[in-house]
Amino acid sequence: ETDSVLKGVVRVERLEDATEHIPAVLERVKKEYLVQAYRVSSWKDPTDFLERLARRMGKMLKGGEPDTNIVARMVLQDWQRGKLPFFVQPPNHTDSDGIGSIEEIDDEDEEPGNLDQPAENVDEELEEIA
């Protein structure tokens, strides 16, 4: 069910307990992005994250308990709407995937030209093309 929630198939409003899906979000999003988005600097576990966020946002139940379900819904909505940056490397991705750098692609026989000065033998090169 968590995958369908994170993909946006299931609407967050219809979830009975949104807190059960937060561990998956915390695993997928880098901590620095969560800190930037919610200004919660540190947490021990997903429940601690939700409690700190609820206190920070003023989402409290009667008796001063943090409303973690409401805050979890907010986090899931941010996830579904793309407010939390997330990406994965393509499958079988390595740092040296066979694509050369610009230096490797340049012809080693030719010296780099100076674009500020006119090229020598331009007339000869134009005659060869024509």
Side-chain angles (χ1 to χ4, degrees):
E1 183 185 19
T2 298
D3 284 338
S4 60
V5 170
L6 295 181
K7 290 178 183 176
V9 175
V10 177
R11 296 182 68 139
V12 174
E13 298 86 26
R14 297 187 180 189
L15 293 175
E16 197 168 312
D17 183 19
T19 59
E20 67 186 50
H21 307 291
I22 296 303
V25 173
L26 295 181
E27 287 175 11
R28 295 177 187 199
V29 178
K30 289 185 179 180
K31 184 175 181 174
E32 63 188 84
Y33 297 137
L34 292 168
V35 169
Q36 182 181 7
Y38 299 116
R39 297 187 182 116
V40 176
S41 58
S42 64
W43 57 88
K44 293 180 252 174
D45 56 21
T47 304
D48 186 41
F49 172 76
L50 291 174
E51 288 174 357
R52 289 174 186 250
L53 184 58
R55 284 190 184 94
R56 190 191 156 293
M57 299 181 91
K59 303 294 183 186
M60 308 297 273
L61 296 170
K62 291 181 181 178
E65 289 290 317
D67 192 350
T68 55
N69 195 37
I70 291 295
V71 176
R73 288 177 188 217
M74 294 169 64
V75 171
L76 290 173
Q77 285 176 342
D78 289 347
W79 169 270
Q80 287 182 351
R81 293 188 176 123
K83 292 182 181 176
L84 295 175
F86 165 72
F87 61 92
V88 294
Q89 295 290 344
N92 302 326
H93 177 76
T94 60
D95 287 340
S96 59
D97 55 3
I99 299 175
S101 66
I102 292 176
E103 291 82 21
E104 294 172 355
I105 295 173
D106 285 343
D107 286 335
E108 295 176 9
D109 297 339
E110 295 183 22
E111 293 183 21
N114 185 349
L115 298 178
D116 294 332
Q117 297 177 354
E120 299 172 11
N121 304 330
V122 172
D123 294 330
E124 293 175 12
E125 290 178 15
L126 289 175
E127 288 176 12
E128 289 177 10
I129 293 173

PDB file of all heavy atoms in Angstrom, residues 70-102:
ATOM      1  N   ILE A  70      -2.022  14.242  11.170  1.00  0.00           N
ATOM      2  CA  ILE A  70      -2.216  15.415  10.313  1.00  0.00           C
ATOM      3  C   ILE A  70      -0.897  15.827   9.669  1.00  0.00           C
ATOM      4  O   ILE A  70      -0.831  16.133   8.476  1.00  0.00           O
ATOM      5  CB  ILE A  70      -2.809  16.587  11.134  1.00  0.00           C
ATOM      6  CG1 ILE A  70      -4.240  16.284  11.538  1.00  0.00           C
ATOM      7  CG2 ILE A  70      -2.734  17.898  10.354  1.00  0.00           C
ATOM      8  CD1 ILE A  70      -5.222  16.173  10.382  1.00  0.00           C
ATOM      9  N   VAL A  71       0.165  15.830  10.457  1.00  0.00           N
ATOM     10  CA  VAL A  71       1.470  16.224   9.936  1.00  0.00           C
ATOM     11  C   VAL A  71       1.952  15.196   8.902  1.00  0.00           C
ATOM     12  O   VAL A  71       2.533  15.566   7.879  1.00  0.00           O
ATOM     13  CB  VAL A  71       2.482  16.380  11.092  1.00  0.00           C
ATOM     14  CG1 VAL A  71       3.860  16.688  10.572  1.00  0.00           C
ATOM     15  CG2 VAL A  71       2.032  17.481  12.028  1.00  0.00           C
ATOM     16  N   ALA A  72       1.703  13.918   9.146  1.00  0.00           N
ATOM     17  CA  ALA A  72       2.078  12.877   8.182  1.00  0.00           C
ATOM     18  C   ALA A  72       1.334  13.082   6.869  1.00  0.00           C
ATOM     19  O   ALA A  72       1.912  12.913   5.783  1.00  0.00           O
ATOM     20  CB  ALA A  72       1.782  11.500   8.747  1.00  0.00           C
ATOM     21  N   ARG A  73       0.076  13.471   6.932  1.00  0.00           N
ATOM     22  CA  ARG A  73      -0.679  13.754   5.710  1.00  0.00           C
ATOM     23  C   ARG A  73      -0.068  14.932   4.948  1.00  0.00           C
ATOM     24  O   ARG A  73       0.006  14.914   3.718  1.00  0.00           O
ATOM     25  CB  ARG A  73      -2.143  14.058   6.047  1.00  0.00           C
ATOM     26  CG  ARG A  73      -2.913  12.851   6.465  1.00  0.00           C
ATOM     27  CD  ARG A  73      -4.322  13.208   6.857  1.00  0.00           C
ATOM     28  NE  ARG A  73      -4.968  12.046   7.438  1.00  0.00           N
ATOM     29  CZ  ARG A  73      -6.238  11.748   7.246  1.00  0.00           C
ATOM     30  NH1 ARG A  73      -7.001  12.531   6.516  1.00  0.00           N
ATOM     31  NH2 ARG A  73      -6.748  10.669   7.789  1.00  0.00           N
ATOM     32  N   MET A  74       0.367  15.933   5.685  1.00  0.00           N
ATOM     33  CA  MET A  74       0.991  17.090   5.038  1.00  0.00           C
ATOM     34  C   MET A  74       2.285  16.676   4.327  1.00  0.00           C
ATOM     35  O   MET A  74       2.544  17.102   3.198  1.00  0.00           O
ATOM     36  CB  MET A  74       1.271  18.182   6.072  1.00  0.00           C
ATOM     37  CG  MET A  74       0.018  18.786   6.662  1.00  0.00           C
ATOM     38  SD  MET A  74       0.316  19.840   8.098  1.00  0.00           S
ATOM     39  CE  MET A  74       1.269  21.138   7.378  1.00  0.00           C
ATOM     40  N   VAL A  75       3.086  15.844   4.980  1.00  0.00           N
ATOM     41  CA  VAL A  75       4.339  15.381   4.380  1.00  0.00           C
ATOM     42  C   VAL A  75       4.044  14.546   3.132  1.00  0.00           C
ATOM     43  O   VAL A  75       4.695  14.710   2.091  1.00  0.00           O
ATOM     44  CB  VAL A  75       5.174  14.580   5.404  1.00  0.00           C
ATOM     45  CG1 VAL A  75       6.363  13.915   4.738  1.00  0.00           C
ATOM     46  CG2 VAL A  75       5.629  15.486   6.543  1.00  0.00           C
ATOM     47  N   LEU A  76       3.054  13.669   3.218  1.00  0.00           N
ATOM     48  CA  LEU A  76       2.696  12.838   2.055  1.00  0.00           C
ATOM     49  C   LEU A  76       2.164  13.688   0.900  1.00  0.00           C
ATOM     50  O   LEU A  76       2.450  13.406  -0.264  1.00  0.00           O
ATOM     51  CB  LEU A  76       1.681  11.767   2.449  1.00  0.00           C
ATOM     52  CG  LEU A  76       2.221  10.662   3.351  1.00  0.00           C
ATOM     53  CD1 LEU A  76       1.086   9.748   3.821  1.00  0.00           C
ATOM     54  CD2 LEU A  76       3.296   9.849   2.640  1.00  0.00           C
ATOM     55  N   GLN A  77       1.395  14.708   1.219  1.00  0.00           N
ATOM     56  CA  GLN A  77       0.910  15.605   0.159  1.00  0.00           C
ATOM     57  C   GLN A  77       2.074  16.342  -0.492  1.00  0.00           C
ATOM     58  O   GLN A  77       2.105  16.505  -1.714  1.00  0.00           O
ATOM     59  CB  GLN A  77      -0.109  16.594   0.711  1.00  0.00           C
ATOM     60  CG  GLN A  77      -1.451  15.961   0.971  1.00  0.00           C
ATOM     61  CD  GLN A  77      -2.439  16.926   1.603  1.00  0.00           C
ATOM     62  OE1 GLN A  77      -2.065  17.966   2.142  1.00  0.00           O
ATOM     63  NE2 GLN A  77      -3.715  16.564   1.552  1.00  0.00           N
ATOM     64  N   ASP A  78       3.032  16.790   0.314  1.00  0.00           N
ATOM     65  CA  ASP A  78       4.217  17.439  -0.249  1.00  0.00           C
ATOM     66  C   ASP A  78       4.982  16.472  -1.138  1.00  0.00           C
ATOM     67  O   ASP A  78       5.485  16.851  -2.195  1.00  0.00           O
ATOM     68  CB  ASP A  78       5.124  17.960   0.867  1.00  0.00           C
ATOM     69  CG  ASP A  78       4.543  19.162   1.594  1.00  0.00           C
ATOM     70  OD1 ASP A  78       3.561  19.756   1.088  1.00  0.00           O
ATOM     71  OD2 ASP A  78       5.077  19.512   2.666  1.00  0.00           O
ATOM     72  N   TRP A  79       5.075  15.216  -0.731  1.00  0.00           N
ATOM     73  CA  TRP A  79       5.748  14.186  -1.531  1.00  0.00           C
ATOM     74  C   TRP A  79       5.028  14.010  -2.868  1.00  0.00           C
ATOM     75  O   TRP A  79       5.653  14.020  -3.925  1.00  0.00           O
ATOM     76  CB  TRP A  79       5.776  12.869  -0.767  1.00  0.00           C
ATOM     77  CG  TRP A  79       6.194  11.716  -1.600  1.00  0.00           C
ATOM     78  CD1 TRP A  79       5.379  10.896  -2.326  1.00  0.00           C
ATOM     79  CD2 TRP A  79       7.522  11.261  -1.844  1.00  0.00           C
ATOM     80  NE1 TRP A  79       6.127   9.957  -2.986  1.00  0.00           N
ATOM     81  CE2 TRP A  79       7.438  10.153  -2.704  1.00  0.00           C
ATOM     82  CE3 TRP A  79       8.769  11.679  -1.408  1.00  0.00           C
ATOM     83  CZ2 TRP A  79       8.570   9.465  -3.145  1.00  0.00           C
ATOM     84  CZ3 TRP A  79       9.884  10.980  -1.840  1.00  0.00           C
ATOM     85  CH2 TRP A  79       9.780   9.899  -2.696  1.00  0.00           C
ATOM     86  N   GLN A  80       3.712  13.846  -2.814  1.00  0.00           N
ATOM     87  CA  GLN A  80       2.944  13.596  -4.033  1.00  0.00           C
ATOM     88  C   GLN A  80       2.979  14.794  -4.981  1.00  0.00           C
ATOM     89  O   GLN A  80       2.932  14.616  -6.194  1.00  0.00           O
ATOM     90  CB  GLN A  80       1.494  13.247  -3.691  1.00  0.00           C
ATOM     91  CG  GLN A  80       1.331  11.864  -3.102  1.00  0.00           C
ATOM     92  CD  GLN A  80      -0.116  11.514  -2.817  1.00  0.00           C
ATOM     93  OE1 GLN A  80      -1.010  12.364  -2.903  1.00  0.00           O
ATOM     94  NE2 GLN A  80      -0.348  10.265  -2.467  1.00  0.00           N
ATOM     95  N   ARG A  81       3.055  15.982  -4.448  1.00  0.00           N
ATOM     96  CA  ARG A  81       3.062  17.186  -5.290  1.00  0.00           C
ATOM     97  C   ARG A  81       4.464  17.587  -5.735  1.00  0.00           C
ATOM     98  O   ARG A  81       4.630  18.591  -6.418  1.00  0.00           O
ATOM     99  CB  ARG A  81       2.400  18.332  -4.534  1.00  0.00           C
ATOM    100  CG  ARG A  81       0.919  18.083  -4.328  1.00  0.00           C
ATOM    101  CD  ARG A  81       0.231  19.290  -3.771  1.00  0.00           C
ATOM    102  NE  ARG A  81      -1.192  19.031  -3.679  1.00  0.00           N
ATOM    103  CZ  ARG A  81      -1.899  19.106  -2.566  1.00  0.00           C
ATOM    104  NH1 ARG A  81      -1.309  19.466  -1.450  1.00  0.00           N
ATOM    105  NH2 ARG A  81      -3.186  18.843  -2.573  1.00  0.00           N
ATOM    106  N   GLY A  82       5.466  16.839  -5.313  1.00  0.00           N
ATOM    107  CA  GLY A  82       6.827  17.108  -5.768  1.00  0.00           C
ATOM    108  C   GLY A  82       7.556  18.184  -5.004  1.00  0.00           C
ATOM    109  O   GLY A  82       8.565  18.699  -5.473  1.00  0.00           O
ATOM    110  N   LYS A  83       7.081  18.533  -3.829  1.00  0.00           N
ATOM    111  CA  LYS A  83       7.763  19.559  -3.043  1.00  0.00           C
ATOM    112  C   LYS A  83       8.994  19.015  -2.329  1.00  0.00           C
ATOM    113  O   LYS A  83       9.824  19.780  -1.882  1.00  0.00           O
ATOM    114  CB  LYS A  83       6.797  20.172  -2.032  1.00  0.00           C
ATOM    115  CG  LYS A  83       5.698  20.980  -2.686  1.00  0.00           C
ATOM    116  CD  LYS A  83       4.785  21.609  -1.670  1.00  0.00           C
ATOM    117  CE  LYS A  83       3.683  22.395  -2.369  1.00  0.00           C
ATOM    118  NZ  LYS A  83       2.720  22.948  -1.414  1.00  0.00           N
ATOM    119  N   LEU A  84       9.076  17.698  -2.225  1.00  0.00           N
ATOM    120  CA  LEU A  84      10.252  17.065  -1.633  1.00  0.00           C
ATOM    121  C   LEU A  84      11.083  16.475  -2.759  1.00  0.00           C
ATOM    122  O   LEU A  84      10.649  15.541  -3.429  1.00  0.00           O
ATOM    123  CB  LEU A  84       9.830  15.961  -0.659  1.00  0.00           C
ATOM    124  CG  LEU A  84       9.071  16.419   0.572  1.00  0.00           C
ATOM    125  CD1 LEU A  84       8.601  15.223   1.383  1.00  0.00           C
ATOM    126  CD2 LEU A  84       9.920  17.333   1.415  1.00  0.00           C
ATOM    127  N   PRO A  85      12.276  16.998  -3.000  1.00  0.00           N
ATOM    128  CA  PRO A  85      13.092  16.493  -4.100  1.00  0.00           C
ATOM    129  C   PRO A  85      13.509  15.046  -3.859  1.00  0.00           C
ATOM    130  O   PRO A  85      13.908  14.679  -2.766  1.00  0.00           O
ATOM    131  CB  PRO A  85      14.317  17.408  -4.111  1.00  0.00           C
ATOM    132  CG  PRO A  85      14.121  18.399  -3.036  1.00  0.00           C
ATOM    133  CD  PRO A  85      12.896  18.087  -2.283  1.00  0.00           C
ATOM    134  N   PHE A  86      13.384  14.251  -4.896  1.00  0.00           N
ATOM    135  CA  PHE A  86      13.726  12.841  -4.801  1.00  0.00           C
ATOM    136  C   PHE A  86      14.119  12.344  -6.176  1.00  0.00           C
ATOM    137  O   PHE A  86      13.455  12.624  -7.161  1.00  0.00           O
ATOM    138  CB  PHE A  86      12.524  12.044  -4.294  1.00  0.00           C
ATOM    139  CG  PHE A  86      12.645  10.576  -4.491  1.00  0.00           C
ATOM    140  CD1 PHE A  86      13.516   9.827  -3.728  1.00  0.00           C
ATOM    141  CD2 PHE A  86      11.884   9.926  -5.441  1.00  0.00           C
ATOM    142  CE1 PHE A  86      13.635   8.461  -3.906  1.00  0.00           C
ATOM    143  CE2 PHE A  86      11.988   8.569  -5.631  1.00  0.00           C
ATOM    144  CZ  PHE A  86      12.869   7.833  -4.858  1.00  0.00           C
ATOM    145  N   PHE A  87      15.212  11.607  -6.245  1.00  0.00           N
ATOM    146  CA  PHE A  87      15.604  10.980  -7.494  1.00  0.00           C
ATOM    147  C   PHE A  87      16.465   9.779  -7.178  1.00  0.00           C
ATOM    148  O   PHE A  87      17.052   9.688  -6.103  1.00  0.00           O
ATOM    149  CB  PHE A  87      16.348  11.948  -8.417  1.00  0.00           C
ATOM    150  CG  PHE A  87      17.623  12.475  -7.829  1.00  0.00           C
ATOM    151  CD1 PHE A  87      18.827  11.841  -8.061  1.00  0.00           C
ATOM    152  CD2 PHE A  87      17.619  13.609  -7.034  1.00  0.00           C
ATOM    153  CE1 PHE A  87      19.996  12.319  -7.515  1.00  0.00           C
ATOM    154  CE2 PHE A  87      18.784  14.101  -6.483  1.00  0.00           C
ATOM    155  CZ  PHE A  87      19.981  13.446  -6.728  1.00  0.00           C
ATOM    156  N   VAL A  88      16.527   8.865  -8.116  1.00  0.00           N
ATOM    157  CA  VAL A  88      17.375   7.682  -7.975  1.00  0.00           C
ATOM    158  C   VAL A  88      18.255   7.573  -9.205  1.00  0.00           C
ATOM    159  O   VAL A  88      17.914   8.067 -10.278  1.00  0.00           O
ATOM    160  CB  VAL A  88      16.558   6.381  -7.819  1.00  0.00           C
ATOM    161  CG1 VAL A  88      15.794   6.371  -6.520  1.00  0.00           C
ATOM    162  CG2 VAL A  88      15.621   6.192  -8.980  1.00  0.00           C
ATOM    163  N   GLN A  89      19.392   6.925  -9.049  1.00  0.00           N
ATOM    164  CA  GLN A  89      20.270   6.671 -10.187  1.00  0.00           C
ATOM    165  C   GLN A  89      19.611   5.643 -11.097  1.00  0.00           C
ATOM    166  O   GLN A  89      18.895   4.758 -10.621  1.00  0.00           O
ATOM    167  CB  GLN A  89      21.622   6.132  -9.705  1.00  0.00           C
ATOM    168  CG  GLN A  89      22.416   7.122  -8.890  1.00  0.00           C
ATOM    169  CD  GLN A  89      22.937   8.267  -9.740  1.00  0.00           C
ATOM    170  OE1 GLN A  89      22.979   8.203 -10.961  1.00  0.00           O
ATOM    171  NE2 GLN A  89      23.323   9.338  -9.081  1.00  0.00           N
ATOM    172  N   PRO A  90      19.835   5.722 -12.395  1.00  0.00           N
ATOM    173  CA  PRO A  90      19.303   4.718 -13.301  1.00  0.00           C
ATOM    174  C   PRO A  90      19.864   3.338 -12.949  1.00  0.00           C
ATOM    175  O   PRO A  90      20.940   3.233 -12.373  1.00  0.00           O
ATOM    176  CB  PRO A  90      19.799   5.162 -14.684  1.00  0.00           C
ATOM    177  CG  PRO A  90      20.200   6.569 -14.522  1.00  0.00           C
ATOM    178  CD  PRO A  90      20.543   6.787 -13.091  1.00  0.00           C
ATOM    179  N   PRO A  91      19.147   2.272 -13.296  1.00  0.00           N
ATOM    180  CA  PRO A  91      19.651   0.938 -12.996  1.00  0.00           C
ATOM    181  C   PRO A  91      20.995   0.690 -13.676  1.00  0.00           C
ATOM    182  O   PRO A  91      21.247   1.187 -14.771  1.00  0.00           O
ATOM    183  CB  PRO A  91      18.591  -0.002 -13.554  1.00  0.00           C
ATOM    184  CG  PRO A  91      17.522   0.832 -14.112  1.00  0.00           C
ATOM    185  CD  PRO A  91      17.884   2.262 -13.972  1.00  0.00           C
ATOM    186  N   ASN A  92      21.861  -0.056 -13.021  1.00  0.00           N
ATOM    187  CA  ASN A  92      23.186  -0.403 -13.529  1.00  0.00           C
ATOM    188  C   ASN A  92      24.055   0.812 -13.778  1.00  0.00           C
ATOM    189  O   ASN A  92      24.930   0.792 -14.626  1.00  0.00           O
ATOM    190  CB  ASN A  92      23.093  -1.237 -14.812  1.00  0.00           C
ATOM    191  CG  ASN A  92      22.302  -2.500 -14.594  1.00  0.00           C
ATOM    192  OD1 ASN A  92      22.353  -3.090 -13.518  1.00  0.00           O
ATOM    193  ND2 ASN A  92      21.561  -2.907 -15.602  1.00  0.00           N
ATOM    194  N   HIS A  93      23.839   1.893 -13.057  1.00  0.00           N
ATOM    195  CA  HIS A  93      24.612   3.124 -13.250  1.00  0.00           C
ATOM    196  C   HIS A  93      25.926   3.034 -12.484  1.00  0.00           C
ATOM    197  O   HIS A  93      25.962   2.659 -11.324  1.00  0.00           O
ATOM    198  CB  HIS A  93      23.824   4.340 -12.760  1.00  0.00           C
ATOM    199  CG  HIS A  93      24.587   5.615 -12.868  1.00  0.00           C
ATOM    200  ND1 HIS A  93      24.782   6.252 -14.060  1.00  0.00           N
ATOM    201  CD2 HIS A  93      25.238   6.353 -11.935  1.00  0.00           C
ATOM    202  CE1 HIS A  93      25.501   7.343 -13.859  1.00  0.00           C
ATOM    203  NE2 HIS A  93      25.784   7.418 -12.572  1.00  0.00           N
ATOM    204  N   THR A  94      27.008   3.373 -13.152  1.00  0.00           N
ATOM    205  CA  THR A  94      28.301   3.499 -12.496  1.00  0.00           C
ATOM    206  C   THR A  94      28.889   4.843 -12.876  1.00  0.00           C
ATOM    207  O   THR A  94      28.435   5.495 -13.824  1.00  0.00           O
ATOM    208  CB  THR A  94      29.275   2.383 -12.934  1.00  0.00           C
ATOM    209  OG1 THR A  94      29.461   2.477 -14.351  1.00  0.00           O
ATOM    210  CG2 THR A  94      28.733   1.016 -12.573  1.00  0.00           C
ATOM    211  N   ASP A  95      29.932   5.247 -12.176  1.00  0.00           N
ATOM    212  CA  ASP A  95      30.559   6.536 -12.485  1.00  0.00           C
ATOM    213  C   ASP A  95      31.220   6.525 -13.856  1.00  0.00           C
ATOM    214  O   ASP A  95      31.217   7.501 -14.576  1.00  0.00           O
ATOM    215  CB  ASP A  95      31.588   6.905 -11.423  1.00  0.00           C
ATOM    216  CG  ASP A  95      30.917   7.322 -10.127  1.00  0.00           C
ATOM    217  OD1 ASP A  95      29.725   7.686 -10.177  1.00  0.00           O
ATOM    218  OD2 ASP A  95      31.577   7.280  -9.079  1.00  0.00           O
ATOM    219  N   SER A  96      31.820   5.410 -14.234  1.00  0.00           N
ATOM    220  CA  SER A  96      32.434   5.315 -15.558  1.00  0.00           C
ATOM    221  C   SER A  96      31.545   4.420 -16.412  1.00  0.00           C
ATOM    222  O   SER A  96      31.738   3.226 -16.499  1.00  0.00           O
ATOM    223  CB  SER A  96      33.844   4.739 -15.451  1.00  0.00           C
ATOM    224  OG  SER A  96      33.793   3.468 -14.850  1.00  0.00           O
ATOM    225  N   ASP A  97      30.552   5.027 -17.024  1.00  0.00           N
ATOM    226  CA  ASP A  97      29.579   4.257 -17.788  1.00  0.00           C
ATOM    227  C   ASP A  97      29.884   4.229 -19.284  1.00  0.00           C
ATOM    228  O   ASP A  97      29.015   3.986 -20.093  1.00  0.00           O
ATOM    229  CB  ASP A  97      28.168   4.783 -17.542  1.00  0.00           C
ATOM    230  CG  ASP A  97      28.049   6.268 -17.832  1.00  0.00           C
ATOM    231  OD1 ASP A  97      29.049   6.859 -18.278  1.00  0.00           O
ATOM    232  OD2 ASP A  97      26.963   6.821 -17.626  1.00  0.00           O
ATOM    233  N   GLY A  98      31.135   4.465 -19.637  1.00  0.00           N
ATOM    234  CA  GLY A  98      31.512   4.381 -21.046  1.00  0.00           C
ATOM    235  C   GLY A  98      31.365   5.674 -21.805  1.00  0.00           C
ATOM    236  O   GLY A  98      31.745   5.772 -22.952  1.00  0.00           O
ATOM    237  N   ILE A  99      30.835   6.678 -21.186  1.00  0.00           N
ATOM    238  CA  ILE A  99      30.691   7.969 -21.857  1.00  0.00           C
ATOM    239  C   ILE A  99      31.931   8.780 -21.546  1.00  0.00           C
ATOM    240  O   ILE A  99      32.277   8.991 -20.394  1.00  0.00           O
ATOM    241  CB  ILE A  99      29.424   8.706 -21.378  1.00  0.00           C
ATOM    242  CG1 ILE A  99      28.199   7.874 -21.708  1.00  0.00           C
ATOM    243  CG2 ILE A  99      29.360  10.093 -21.992  1.00  0.00           C
ATOM    244  CD1 ILE A  99      26.912   8.456 -21.170  1.00  0.00           C
ATOM    245  N   GLY A 100      32.606   9.229 -22.574  1.00  0.00           N
ATOM    246  CA  GLY A 100      33.850   9.963 -22.391  1.00  0.00           C
ATOM    247  C   GLY A 100      33.603  11.394 -21.991  1.00  0.00           C
ATOM    248  O   GLY A 100      32.540  11.951 -22.217  1.00  0.00           O
ATOM    249  N   SER A 101      34.607  11.974 -21.389  1.00  0.00           N
ATOM    250  CA  SER A 101      34.515  13.383 -21.057  1.00  0.00           C
ATOM    251  C   SER A 101      34.823  14.204 -22.301  1.00  0.00           C
ATOM    252  O   SER A 101      35.242  13.680 -23.330  1.00  0.00           O
ATOM    253  CB  SER A 101      35.498  13.724 -19.937  1.00  0.00           C
ATOM    254  OG  SER A 101      36.810  13.554 -20.407  1.00  0.00           O
ATOM    255  N   ILE A 102      34.660  15.476 -22.204  1.00  0.00           N
ATOM    256  CA  ILE A 102      34.895  16.349 -23.351  1.00  0.00           C
ATOM    257  C   ILE A 102      36.346  16.250 -23.798  1.00  0.00           C
ATOM    258  O   ILE A 102      36.641  16.233 -24.978  1.00  0.00           O
ATOM    259  CB  ILE A 102      34.521  17.803 -23.007  1.00  0.00           C
ATOM    260  CG1 ILE A 102      33.019  17.895 -22.820  1.00  0.00           C
ATOM    261  CG2 ILE A 102      34.992  18.770 -24.079  1.00  0.00           C
ATOM    262  CD1 ILE A 102      32.524  19.235 -22.386  1.00  0.00           C
TER     263      ILE A 102
END
